[in-house]
Amino acid sequence: MVVMADTVDDPFLSGLFSNNRAWAEKIKQENPDFFDKLAKQQAPKVLWIGCSDSRVPANEIIGMMPGEVFVHRNVANQVMLVDFNCLAVLQFAVEVLRVSHVIVCGHYGCGGVKASLKNYELGLLDNWLYGINMMGRRYEEVITALPNKAGQVDALCEINVIEQVRNVCKTSIVRQAWRRGQEVSIHGWIYGIHDGLLHDLEVSVNDATAAESTLDAALAGPRLAHR
């Protein structure tokens, strides 16, 4: 059964339907053929792997329209080699949509990264954030050299992005794509919620031979690009 907007009792939810109608009408006025073309196919050039944080909407911060970015988001932008949800998205993006770019995008002040540094139990989140906690220990010397807690968290946010780029490069999906000559590049970016600006962490990789050296060089010392 289709529920119409005016049958939704909750005023907040009803407002969302109203917003949707206004948005759709605006798009149709600006581009009358937009939804007809969108319904026929999607042909994005980018797979965006980002954080679930509501303040970091993938399409909006890079000025792209629906159909132009294929998106996967989770807490703290993780790429785990046992996460079949993320891997299914990556496989579909690389093998079916044939994206040219995979962007792992974190953000400064990430709540998931902060939570990974806590010493009290967080339930299921402890398991999800375990890898970031281990990163914090592995790079403790680099992180604690920074003078304040906010800077230390942001350094770990950068390290996390770089290590997730490494994980993307390790997947059989990407390695097989490179072996068959498919052009796909993996990038690590980070977003500043405080100013709305993206920063390139300069860890772009487009073949297996360059992956480890590029990522290891970047991890020699996070640069805290927003400072």
Side-chain angles (χ1 to χ4, degrees):
M1 182 176 96
V2 177
V3 179
M4 302 304 293
D6 55 8
T7 67
V8 177
D9 294 330
D10 187 296
F12 174 75
L13 297 180
S14 180
L16 298 185
F17 278 98
S18 297
N19 292 347
N20 168 254
R21 288 197 299 268
W23 172 78
E25 186 59 34
K26 180 176 180 291
I27 294 295
K28 284 188 283 188
Q29 288 177 359
E30 294 174 352
N31 185 350
D33 298 327
F34 179 79
F35 289 110
D36 288 336
K37 292 178 180 177
L38 193 65
K40 293 175 182 175
Q41 67 170 350
Q42 62 169 333
K45 294 183 178 180
V46 172
L47 166 61
W48 178 280
I49 300 175
C51 183
S52 297
D53 193 300
S54 60
R55 300 166 295 175
V56 193
N59 287 65
E60 286 87 339
I61 65 176
I62 54 175
M64 303 292 272
M65 292 292 290
E68 295 181 319
V69 186
F70 199 58
V71 178
H72 175 78
R73 295 169 70 181
N74 60 52
V75 174
N77 43 274
Q78 299 289 282
V79 180
M80 300 183 188
L81 301 184
V82 294
D83 179 2
F84 294 111
N85 184 359
C86 181
L87 295 179
V89 172
L90 179 63
Q91 182 174 11
F92 191 83
V94 172
E95 297 182 7
V96 179
L97 298 177
R98 309 283 291 187
V99 298
S100 300
H101 304 279
V102 177
I103 298 169
V104 178
C105 185
H107 64 95
Y108 290 119
C110 179
V113 172
K114 288 180 183 177
S116 76
L117 298 173
K118 306 289 186 184
N119 292 320
Y120 49 82
E121 293 185 2
L122 299 167
L124 181 62
L125 271 174
D126 289 327
N127 300 292
W128 183 256
L129 299 172
Y130 178 80
I132 304 178
N133 182 273
M134 290 297 99
M135 285 179 213
R137 297 183 187 186
R138 191 184 318 148
Y139 296 102
E140 184 176 9
E141 185 175 345
V142 172
I143 293 169
T144 56
L146 295 164
N148 58 67
K149 189 65 175 180
Q152 292 173 6
V153 169
D154 286 349
L156 187 51
C157 289
E158 292 188 347
I159 290 168
N160 180 44
V161 170
I162 295 167
E163 288 292 359
Q164 303 317 314
V165 169
R166 189 192 304 275
N167 286 345
V168 174
C169 294
K170 284 181 178 179
T171 65
S172 59
I173 298 160
V174 170
R175 288 184 175 274
Q176 288 170 8
W178 283 336
R179 279 199 294 268
R180 62 177 174 261
Q182 185 174 340
E183 293 184 2
V184 56
S185 299
I186 321 301
H187 312 276
W189 295 359
I190 197 159
Y191 176 72
I193 292 175
H194 64 289
D195 61 9
L197 297 179
L198 284 166
H199 304 275
D200 183 358
L201 293 178
E202 300 178 1
V203 290
S204 294
V205 181
N206 54 26
D207 65 73
T209 58
E212 293 300 321
S213 60
T214 299
L215 297 166
D216 287 344
L219 287 167
R223 64 182 189 179
L224 293 177
H226 70 302
R227 293 175 180 271

